[in-house]
Amino acid sequence: MIQIENVSLSYREVPILSDITLSLGKGGITALVGPNGAGKSTLLSLIARLQPLQTGRILVDSLPVNSTASRILARRLAILRQGGAIASRLTVRQLVGFGRFPHHQGRPCAGDIAAVEAALEQFELQALAERFIDTLSGGQRQRAMVAMTFCQGTDYLLLDEPLNNLDMFHARQLMRSLRTIADERQRTAIIVLHDINQAATYADRIVAMRDGRVIADGTPATVLTEDNLEAVFGYRMQIRQIDGTPLVLQHL
Amino acid sequence: MTDIRTSGKWMTKLAACAAFVMLVILSIFIGAGEFSPWQAIHDPAALQLFFASRLPRTVAAALTGAALSIAGLIMQALVRNRFVEPSTAGTAQSAALGILIMTLVFPAASLAMKTLFASILALLGTSIFMMTAHRLPPAQPYLVPLFGLVYGGVIGAVVTFVGWQTELLQFIDIWTNGEFSGVVRGRYELLWGTALMAAIAWWVADRLTVLSLGRDVSIGLGLSYQRTLQLGLVIVSAISALTVVIVGIIPFVGLVVPNLVSRILGDNLRGTIPWVGLSGATLVLGCDVLGRLLRYPYEIPVATVMGVVGAILFLRLMFTRATHA
Amino acid sequence: MLDRRLLFLAAIALAAVIAFMTLGLRGNVAFILQLRGLKLLALVQVAVSIAISTVLFQTVTANRILTPSIMGLDALYLFGQTALVFLLGGFGYASLNTGVKFGVEVLLMVALAMVLLWPLLRNRMDMNLMLLMGVTLGLLFRSLSALLSRLLDPNAFAIVQTVSFANFNTLRADLTVLGTIVTFGAALLCWRARHVLDVIGLGRETAIGLGVNWTKAAAGLLMLVAVLVAVSTALVGPVAFFGLLVAALAERLMGTQRHATLLPAAALMGIVVLVGGQTVSQHGLGGASTLGVVIEFAGGLAFLLLLILGSRK
């Protein structure tokens, strides 16, 4: 369980997050949605201890993120940030292999190698395994990064816009993989999404944010209402129901 | 497909080893003094020459080349920029400033003490470079090496100025213009310290590779980011200071070698460090031998030869990269 | 309607000149004045040629941080000179007529500069990459000169040695007259073209759109820059950051990029820094030989500052 208690953050006196309190239970997929600058990515990087907390506290399985050893947290949660350009010339297999670093600190055992192979297979990267990542397309690189994050084998996965650069096929594939590990292995995914319909279809819970505050929080059916969406995104959009799942006509 | 590529890699590796061995032999048998394999067995005076001068010189060149290349590799991982190395980031110049200060203030200090102080100043100078480099916008990859070059130049100007004022210019020339002609038994043994540093680098190679993936990924993988960064800085500074004190600044080695090796073997430091070291040793040995041959029996400092060879290689690297991108 | 800041700058430059000529006059006044007069002429000429060449180079590259010497041009000149000594031998080199020698060196340099810089201008490369390549080229030429001079015999080596360090004390009289003529001509040319230069400074596309024959103009300007760099380098040796320092200061002070103001301001600023600096270092602290190092230091810092400020935008 991830507990976020009274977290506020400001940068040069501009408030980014204002008094956020959330509790994210174990298992399932939680989607963070909201317009640009809502504070979603900041919240994610605070949970992943990439930025120091200013006020409030965050606990991951009751370990406070700001005072727990980084190595221990790395076995509980993995984070994928957006747009982290990798300049190193590593092969896809080597890169994915570094996802196991928290477990072996540089001396991999057979289990680690098997985990890497499994991740490569899951994201259909075997054919690219020996290619250097700087020779890949943006989407292939994104898949390699996602595979590395999966390979870390943690209970919690924090993904910041993982669908960036992915074509429809691989975007769907990724969301389905998340669904699978959530259902079969009780993993927890917290994921920033811009495509609200992906959230509607695959998430168990949607947290909608705007201006550093949580505007709505609940199942897709309860959050995705016309009033809520207007409050978050600033315009009215139509919503249809298809087989009980809301479909937002966001583009109209 | 994979087979061809791996066998190609093995051929390259084999060729690198062969070139290294050949240059070691050349380096031992080329020089102003007469020395041939025949004499090595029969003439005790020639044997004396071998142990007092040729062997130390060859070892020193190989150690320096290997260590400088590895220092460049580490620096590139720390800064996350392919175009930096100790002599283009103020590290080597800071080390020279350190020796200069020690020579002025404590002329009686031992070489080891001078080296230690030079390491500390190198650490300081490099840290300032790193702090600035991390603030420069990452979207402009050529800004960092450019900044480093001029930053090194400014520190170099301070060194020259102080040297001028204190009439130590000839000494400064020795520290800033690397050469191996002064290397004899008893005057180079501190250089083995660089081998120790390289070994430490290899020991923590995985951490350094993770570091090169960036701060966010490093922390995400549970690496103690700051500590690894500091360790890398210490290794780079120590290698720079040791080489500057004993042989002087040799430019471009740390820049060119890691880039060339990375083209073939990539950047997984655990696998590449030995090859970077071997290639660096080969390059510096080659330039030293060339410097001894060009105007035989006189010698041209290895730094001068490397200035030409390295600059051409570096320009090529930049040019091919610019046309690829 | 002259700018008051320009007048102010001119006044300081004049003060520097007077100070240089009169401070510490002792002994044979007429002789010393004659000696100082020649030296002053050389200094002024160097200051003006470096200032103008830097402004021109920045205009043609549409970039306020590039300078000819950062792009390795003065190192190229030195390399050409060493190569000449190498090819002709020390004696052959020394027996060449100064004018002929100078002409050959300038031609060599213009040719090489065109070969090296033209592709950079045409393809509009990434600015930082261009700078980095320039700095590396400079290092390459410096190493090549060093290598060649090691291959020379000691006598020829001494000839090269005297010309390859920035030195404001032992100025060569024979080149001063020649250099003054070249610099004066170049300055006149630039002054007449000042309005065209304003347009060229807007960049290649805009300049062509406004009806400038860009190829011709840029080639001509590059040649002019090469000649001016050759003149100043021949007199005092390489000074990497002096031009940048002077051009940047002038632009800051005047707050304009119009060449009608920028060119004279840069030239005056060059005189203030060089003549004033020489006066201070001769009569004040440090001793005379250190001015070159101090200018390098201050100029290098200015460069770093411009680099960081520019990247923040």
Side-chain angles (χ1 to χ4, degrees):
Chain A
M1 175 140 108
I2 296 178
Q3 290 153 284
I4 302 163
E5 294 168 4
N6 308 103
V7 166
S8 298
L9 186 98
S10 53
Y11 180 65
R12 288 189 186 155
E13 314 208 344
V14 180
I16 310 289
L17 293 174
S18 314
D19 197 25
I20 303 262
T21 299
L22 269 179
S23 164
L24 304 163
K26 206 158 190 167
I29 298 176
T30 302
L32 295 179
V33 301
N36 299 337
K40 303 163 302 216
S41 298
T42 309
L43 185 60
L44 222 54
S45 58
L46 284 177
I47 300 173
R49 71 196 169 315
L50 298 181
Q51 276 184 47
L53 277 166
Q54 287 175 352
T55 49
R57 62 175 193 157
I58 298 178
L59 306 174
V60 175
D61 289 342
S62 37
L63 299 170
V65 291
N66 51 342
S67 58
T68 306
S70 192
R71 249 165 88 169
I72 293 168
L73 280 176
R75 290 185 209 149
R76 306 238 174 185
L77 67 86
I79 179 157
L80 172 68
R81 294 266 282 160
Q82 49 172 326
I86 304 271
S88 303
R89 261 169 79 82
L90 296 174
T91 62
V92 171
R93 179 175 275 118
Q94 286 169 347
L95 179 75
V96 174
F98 276 109
R100 302 302 299 171
F101 183 79
H103 304 276
H104 60 62
Q105 298 293 318
R107 274 58 177 173
C109 65
D112 295 313
I113 293 164
V116 173
E117 292 311 314
L120 288 173
E121 193 182 327
Q122 191 174 3
F123 291 92
E124 294 173 22
L125 291 164
Q126 298 114 312
L128 303 173
E130 298 308 321
R131 288 264 297 272
F132 286 119
I133 42 176
D134 57 355
T135 64
L136 301 181
S137 75
Q140 293 168 330
R141 204 173 307 162
Q142 179 73 3
R143 268 158 58 207
M145 295 295 292
V146 172
M148 173 184 173
T149 315
F150 264 66
C151 195
Q152 208 169 326
T154 53
D155 283 342
Y156 300 93
L157 279 172
L158 312 180
L159 306 173
D160 195 350
E161 296 187 32
L163 305 185
N164 270 353
N165 283 323
L166 295 188
D167 56 31
M168 283 184 277
F169 178 85
H170 287 109
R172 173 172 169 273
Q173 190 101 340
L174 171 56
M175 292 311 292
R176 290 171 75 109
S177 303
L178 282 174
R179 201 58 262 172
T180 311
I181 59 163
D183 291 340
E184 293 175 4
R185 289 184 242 163
Q186 277 65 53
R187 300 278 184 79
T188 315
I190 300 154
I191 165 168
V192 173
L193 281 177
H194 271 306
D195 186 339
I196 202 140
N197 287 318
Q198 296 275 18
T201 313
Y202 291 104
D204 300 301
R205 177 178 172 187
I206 294 181
V207 176
M209 293 177 68
R210 181 185 181 129
D211 298 333
R213 292 172 201 282
V214 174
I215 305 282
D217 178 5
T219 61
T222 57
V223 171
L224 300 182
T225 65
E226 293 185 5
D227 289 338
N228 273 343
L229 289 175
E230 184 176 12
V232 174
F233 291 100
Y235 69 103
R236 262 194 119 62
M237 41 194 120
Q238 300 175 37
I239 297 171
R240 303 273 186 279
Q241 299 289 327
I242 294 181
D243 297 339
T245 305
L247 176 75
V248 183
L249 304 179
Q250 65 209 27
H251 53 294
L252 295 178
Chain B
M1 170 87 188
T2 330
D3 287 343
I4 297 166
R5 205 182 293 156
T6 17
S7 72
K9 265 184 209 171
W10 275 109
M11 290 299 284
T12 321
K13 286 178 177 175
L14 215 64
C17 292
F20 176 70
V21 172
M22 235 172 62
L23 280 163
V24 167
I25 295 169
L26 274 177
S27 168
I28 285 174
F29 290 109
I30 288 173
E34 196 68 18
F35 181 59
S36 65
W38 174 250
Q39 285 174 313
I41 307 167
H42 293 278
D43 185 356
L47 218 57
Q48 175 70 19
L49 174 74
F50 172 76
F51 280 115
S53 160
R54 292 295 165 74
L55 186 66
R57 181 172 188 158
T58 306
V59 170
L63 277 177
T64 307
L68 282 180
S69 306
I70 291 169
L73 183 69
I74 297 172
M75 193 108 184
Q76 286 158 22
L78 300 186
V79 188
R80 300 183 70 203
N81 188 304
R82 286 213 170 284
F83 291 143
V84 293
E85 65 141 358
S87 84
T88 63
T91 312
Q93 289 81 0
S94 305
L97 186 64
I99 313 166
L100 181 62
I101 292 174
M102 273 309 260
T103 310
L104 284 174
V105 183
F106 300 105
S110 70
L111 201 61
M113 281 310 291
K114 283 181 184 165
T115 312
L116 188 67
F117 188 70
S119 305
I120 292 168
L121 265 213
L123 196 60
L124 201 72
T126 320
S127 305
I128 293 172
F129 168 76
M130 291 281 290
M131 279 195 292
T132 323
H134 276 282
R135 274 160 208 268
L136 294 173
Q140 301 183 26
Y142 301 108
L143 195 59
V144 173
L146 187 61
F147 174 82
L149 268 173
V150 180
Y151 172 69
V154 168
I155 299 176
V158 174
V159 173
T160 315
F161 182 76
V162 176
W164 218 318
Q165 294 294 313
T166 51
E167 300 185 349
L168 282 172
L169 264 186
Q170 321 90 286
F171 283 100
I172 287 168
D173 194 51
I174 292 169
W175 298 320
T176 50
N177 199 14
E179 62 175 325
F180 293 109
S181 58
V183 170
V184 285
R185 188 172 48 198
R187 277 245 330 115
Y188 85 104
E189 280 72 6
L190 264 182
L191 263 185
W192 283 105
T194 64
L196 178 71
M197 289 295 144
I200 296 176
W202 202 26
W203 175 251
V204 298
D206 290 293
R207 269 171 252 184
L208 294 170
T209 312
V210 172
L211 199 73
S212 76
L213 302 178
R215 179 180 171 275
D216 287 355
V217 175
S218 307
I219 296 179
L221 291 176
L223 187 78
S224 38
Y225 180 76
Q226 282 300 336
R227 253 206 272 148
T228 314
L229 204 67
Q230 287 157 0
L231 178 65
L233 274 176
V234 168
I235 296 175
V236 168
S237 305
I239 289 179
S240 296
L242 281 163
T243 49
V244 169
V245 168
I246 298 178
V247 294
I249 296 177
I250 302 176
F252 291 117
V253 188
L255 206 55
V256 174
V257 174
N259 273 293
L260 292 175
V261 173
S262 143
R263 292 233 166 142
I264 303 165
L265 298 179
D267 285 335
N268 191 8
L269 265 59
R270 162 91 40 221
T272 59
I273 279 183
W275 295 103
V276 166
L278 183 84
S279 314
T282 311
L283 182 66
V284 170
L285 264 176
C287 284
D288 186 40
V289 168
L290 195 66
R292 275 183 263 171
L293 286 177
L294 273 174
R295 194 168 155 66
Y296 189 84
Y298 301 107
E299 290 196 6
I300 296 169
V302 67
T304 308
V305 180
M306 189 60 82
V308 175
V309 175
I312 292 172
L313 285 173
F314 183 43
L315 281 171
R316 254 194 70 84
L317 277 175
M318 275 192 285
F319 216 79
T320 48
R321 236 177 108 91
T323 44
H324 276 308
Chain C
M1 42 157 264
L2 261 174
D3 195 311
R4 275 165 80 186
R5 281 170 294 187
L6 205 56
L7 283 176
F8 173 67
L9 205 54
I12 299 181
L14 193 67
V17 166
I18 293 173
F20 180 82
M21 289 299 284
T22 54
L23 268 184
L25 266 184
R26 239 177 276 118
N28 188 343
V29 174
F31 175 74
I32 294 177
L33 276 184
Q34 194 193 357
L35 198 70
R36 284 191 183 180
L38 192 65
K39 210 164 155 182
L40 179 71
L41 187 66
L43 282 177
V44 168
Q45 184 253 304
V46 166
V48 172
S49 63
I50 291 180
I52 291 180
S53 65
T54 305
V55 172
L56 287 186
F57 194 71
Q58 293 183 343
T59 298
V60 75
T61 52
N63 187 315
R64 292 284 150 207
I65 199 169
L66 286 180
T67 77
S69 45
I70 290 175
M71 294 305 294
L73 275 191
D74 52 3
L76 178 62
Y77 174 82
L78 281 183
F79 170 63
Q81 203 159 37
T82 318
L84 268 183
V85 178
F86 185 70
L87 291 175
L88 302 175
F91 185 71
Y93 180 82
S95 62
L96 272 183
N97 173 290
T98 311
V100 175
K101 193 160 56 187
F102 186 69
V104 171
E105 280 164 357
V106 168
L107 275 182
L108 207 73
M109 181 166 140
V110 170
L112 267 172
M114 293 302 277
V115 170
L116 289 173
L117 292 176
W118 196 244
L120 298 181
L121 275 184
R122 285 299 289 268
N123 300 338
R124 309 216 47 83
M125 261 186 194
D126 177 277
M127 198 269 284
N128 290 318
L129 177 63
M130 203 159 134
L131 277 171
L132 190 60
M133 282 190 167
V135 175
T136 315
L137 275 176
L139 288 175
L140 174 63
F141 292 132
R142 229 156 282 156
S143 307
L144 270 175
S145 309
L147 187 66
L148 276 187
S149 62
R150 295 274 176 172
L151 296 176
L152 296 169
D153 65 87
N155 287 332
F157 179 69
I159 291 175
V160 173
Q161 200 77 57
T162 53
V163 291
S164 47
F165 288 102
N167 190 339
F168 299 102
N169 290 308
T170 52
L171 298 162
R172 294 159 58 189
D174 51 343
L175 283 177
T176 306
V177 181
L178 188 72
T180 308
I181 297 166
V182 172
T183 307
F184 186 73
L188 208 66
L189 219 62
C190 293
W191 181 251
R192 291 192 49 178
R194 60 194 186 276
H195 302 300
V196 183
L197 286 173
D198 288 341
V199 177
I200 292 174
L202 298 175
R204 179 168 174 270
E205 281 81 15
T206 318
I208 293 175
L210 291 172
V212 172
N213 184 343
W214 194 83
T215 313
K216 209 175 119 193
L221 281 176
L222 267 189
M223 240 180 279
L224 203 58
V225 167
V227 172
L228 285 171
V229 170
V231 166
S232 67
T233 315
L235 271 172
V236 293
V239 270
F241 293 113
F242 177 70
L244 181 85
L245 186 68
V246 168
L249 282 175
E251 201 193 320
R252 276 289 136 81
L253 183 71
M254 306 310 296
T256 175
Q257 299 193 353
R258 294 193 74 88
H259 288 77
T261 328
L262 196 56
L263 281 172
L268 286 172
M269 188 63 84
I271 296 174
V272 170
V273 173
L274 202 53
V275 179
Q278 186 68 10
T279 314
V280 170
S281 77
Q282 262 174 7
H283 300 284
L285 16 94
S289 51
T290 50
L291 181 63
V293 184
V294 174
I295 286 178
E296 288 306 88
F297 180 70
L301 283 183
F303 180 77
L304 292 183
L305 207 66
L306 285 177
L307 211 57
I308 291 169
L309 289 178
S311 69
R312 286 274 160 81
K313 275 178 203 159

